[in-house]
Amino acid sequence: MSIADNIRSLILGGQYAPGDRLGEVELAEALGVSRTPVREALRHLQSEGLVEIVANRGARVVEYPHEDLDAIFELRARIEGLAARQAAATATTRDADHLHEVAVSIRDHAERSDLDSVYRLNAEFHRTLVRLGGSTVLAQSINSLIHSPVLLRTYNSFDAEAMRRSVNHHIEIAAAVHAGDPDWAEAVMRAHLFSARASLLGPRTPPRKQV
């Protein structure tokens, strides 16, 4: 495992929270290496969007405000729900079979707790669904909303029940596409993303009463 992989694991494992400072000296001592490879690893993690490096202030874990994360999932649910709807209306049987195969692979790797493969296959599933919908505008909109650090943190926030629910959502979305049912596909995709939001952000506060 590389130095960057080790630091990424520390962040995603919760040892460093969003906004926490990542001291080169402390990390070097903890990992048993010099400061130079730590500095290079932090730059690599900055390119991933997981770390922010500020001149004369050092590195810290990127922090997304709660309101921004909430908005990201809300927009994704609307836009990816529409993408799932279009995919169900236009996908061929062969396309739907491929989507199902990816969903089953996600389940198999999740059962082995292989989060790296789950993360990679999840990205393939969502990309495939958008491609099947055939809309360049939707694809561009979704790409602008998907942030790797947010997705990584989401998967690391899943308990066993949340992971099982996510896996089942993928399989059900594929079934809806195979059935050519746009309403079903859109509903499950929206539920899928709202469930992920709940795992990452916790219970939603009730809306304030109007005075």
Side-chain angles (χ1 to χ4, degrees), residues 115-162:
L115 284 185
D116 288 341
S117 293
V118 170
Y119 174 76
R120 175 180 55 79
L121 289 164
N122 174 75
E124 180 182 348
F125 183 92
H126 286 263
R127 280 197 306 268
T128 299
L129 199 65
V130 173
R131 178 179 58 79
L132 295 181
S135 172
T136 302
V137 172
L138 282 181
Q140 291 173 343
S141 299
I142 291 168
N143 287 337
S144 71
L145 291 168
I146 295 178
H147 303 279
S148 294
V150 175
L151 294 179
L152 286 167
R153 284 206 184 99
T154 301
Y155 270 115
N156 279 269
S157 71
F158 280 178
D159 57 19
E161 181 181 352

Side-chain angles (χ1 to χ4, degrees), residues 22-185:
L22 296 164
E24 290 181 8
V25 174
E26 294 86 348
L27 285 169
E29 291 177 353
L31 299 174
V33 296
S34 67
R35 292 178 61 181
T36 299
V38 168
R39 189 177 302 118
E40 293 172 354
L42 291 173
R43 288 184 186 134
H44 176 76
L45 295 174
Q46 181 183 39
S47 71
E48 291 184 2
L50 195 60
V51 168
E52 179 183 27
I53 301 175
V54 180
N56 302 319
R57 295 178 61 184
R60 69 182 185 94
V61 181
V62 167
E63 183 175 19
Y64 289 90
H66 187 284
E67 294 78 9
D68 288 353
L69 291 172
D70 188 77
I72 286 170
F73 279 101
E74 179 71 35
L75 289 168
R76 283 190 63 194
R78 292 174 184 273
I79 297 173
E80 291 197 59
L82 181 57
R85 166 176 283 278
Q86 292 189 354
T90 60
T92 65
T93 300
R94 182 176 180 180
D95 292 330
D97 287 343
H98 173 67
L99 200 65
H100 176 74
E101 289 171 4
V102 177
V104 170
S105 294
I106 292 173
R107 181 196 63 194
D108 293 344
H109 285 283
E111 290 175 350
R112 295 195 290 271
S113 298
D114 182 0
L115 284 185
D116 288 341
S117 293
V118 170
Y119 174 76
R120 175 180 55 79
L121 289 164
N122 174 75
E124 180 182 348
F125 183 92
H126 286 263
R127 280 197 306 268
T128 299
L129 199 65
V130 173
R131 178 179 58 79
L132 295 181
S135 172
T136 302
V137 172
L138 282 181
Q140 291 173 343
S141 299
I142 291 168
N143 287 337
S144 71
L145 291 168
I146 295 178
H147 303 279
S148 294
V150 175
L151 294 179
L152 286 167
R153 284 206 184 99
T154 301
Y155 270 115
N156 279 269
S157 71
F158 280 178
D159 57 19
E161 181 181 352
M163 180 61 79
R164 189 161 48 247
R165 188 163 54 242
S166 177
V167 164
N168 289 337
H169 282 155
H170 287 109
I171 292 174
E172 188 173 359
I173 290 167
V177 172
H178 203 286
D181 191 323
D183 292 336
W184 182 15

